[in-house]
Amino acid sequence: EAQVTQNPRYLITVTGKKLTVTCSQNMNHEYMSWYRQDPGLGLRQIYYSMNVEVTDKGDVPEGYKVSRKEKRNFPLILESPSPNQTSLYFCASSLSLGTANGAEAFFGQGTRLTVV
Amino acid sequence: GDSVTQMEGPVTLSEEAFLTINCTYTATGYPSLFWYVQYPGEGLQLLLKATKADDKGSNKGFEATYRKETTSFHLEKGSVQVSDSAVYFCALGAGGFKTIFGAGTRLFVKA
């Protein structure tokens, strides 16, 4: 089954304790990205990757890191989480066709992160 | 820059009512337009899309037409069901790979 898998689904952590949210896709997609979803703001892109070892900042990258060592995996790293990073996070992947050409994004089920 | 504006929710309807969720966009170039749906506790999934002006996307009884002259992509359904209760996101496929999302509209359908 084609899917994007995120782990964990729920995470409560303390300020400053490094954490990683994993993301894996089995569709051989070149493009992967991370979003955060906050009430009234929709989805905002954090980072994206166009292929292995190619990553770039999205609209709200501060406080986050990513890596793309393998095509299927795209982990999101919070080196020193703060309460303003409490949010719902989604990983997504899509073909290299590009969204302007109609390529849809496939989303994981989300990770609800609470930083206290 | 490119942006998407959709009507605020929540929208509450009775079963079998007609649904319209308004969406307008601002973009340079020729974007693709999407509607995504998010059911409770799940990620977003594509509902329908249109890649050029005057295209109509349709799926599961939902429809939306890409109107370049009014820069709109309104979502419609003739008869909603309780199972349609979800959050609906209008989105724009900008240059390259970037997708720009609206704020989302929550729909409640009462039996």
Side-chain angles (χ1 to χ4, degrees):
Chain A
E1 179 190 355
Q3 60 185 5
V4 178
T5 303
Q6 290 178 233
N7 280 295
R9 292 289 308 277
Y10 302 92
L11 180 59
I12 300 174
T13 190
V14 297
T15 299
K17 185 176 181 181
K18 181 179 178 180
L19 66 91
T20 299
V21 183
T22 63
C23 173
S24 182
Q25 52 94 4
N26 63 1
M27 294 169 281
N28 202 36
H29 285 166
E30 293 84 5
Y31 185 76
M32 298 184 74
S33 59
W34 278 101
Y35 294 88
R36 60 178 289 174
Q37 182 182 10
D38 300 292
L41 296 176
L43 277 78
R44 294 179 292 168
Q45 192 179 54
I46 302 170
Y47 267 94
Y48 64 93
S49 169
M50 295 174 65
N51 215 324
V52 175
E53 302 293 0
V54 181
T55 64
D56 207 347
K57 297 177 181 178
D59 299 316
V60 288
E62 293 76 21
Y64 305 95
K65 284 176 55 177
V66 293
S67 68
R68 187 94 181 270
K69 293 184 170 55
E70 305 166 282
K71 195 172 187 179
R72 63 182 294 127
N73 296 324
F74 190 45
L76 179 69
I77 303 156
L78 285 71
E79 294 269 3
S80 182
S82 63
N84 65 12
Q85 293 178 296
T86 293
S87 188
L88 180 58
Y89 291 86
F90 288 101
C91 180
S93 72
S94 62
L95 287 168
S96 62
L97 175 67
T99 57
N101 295 316
E104 72 174 278
F106 292 81
F107 285 83
Q109 289 194 293
T111 296
R112 185 165 291 283
L113 172 66
T114 302
V115 183
V116 298
Chain B
D2 297 346
S3 65
V4 175
T5 303
Q6 61 182 104
M7 61 188 288
E8 289 188 27
V11 174
T12 303
L13 296 173
S14 296
E15 211 165 20
E16 300 183 2
F18 184 85
L19 168 71
T20 300
I21 300 178
N22 291 335
C23 171
T24 57
Y25 68 91
T26 302
T28 55
Y30 304 95
S32 291
L33 299 173
F34 304 84
W35 277 101
Y36 284 86
V37 59
Q38 183 181 30
Y39 298 104
E42 298 184 13
L44 283 72
Q45 55 186 274
L46 180 69
L47 180 60
L48 54 85
K49 69 180 182 183
T51 58
K52 61 183 186 296
D54 300 324
D55 267 2
K56 177 186 284 187
S58 62
N59 186 26
K60 299 182 181 180
F62 291 88
E63 293 183 342
T65 301
Y66 188 160
R67 302 282 188 204
K68 190 166 169 54
E69 64 276 13
T70 54
T71 62
S72 65
F73 193 55
H74 305 321
L75 182 68
E76 296 182 336
K77 186 175 186 182
S79 175
V80 293
Q81 306 299 313
V82 172
S83 57
D84 294 326
S85 297
V87 181
Y88 293 82
F89 291 91
C90 185
L92 180 155
F97 299 90
K98 191 175 178 69
T99 302
I100 297 170
F101 290 88
T105 302
R106 184 175 295 277
L107 170 67
F108 292 104
V109 180
K110 302 180 297 184

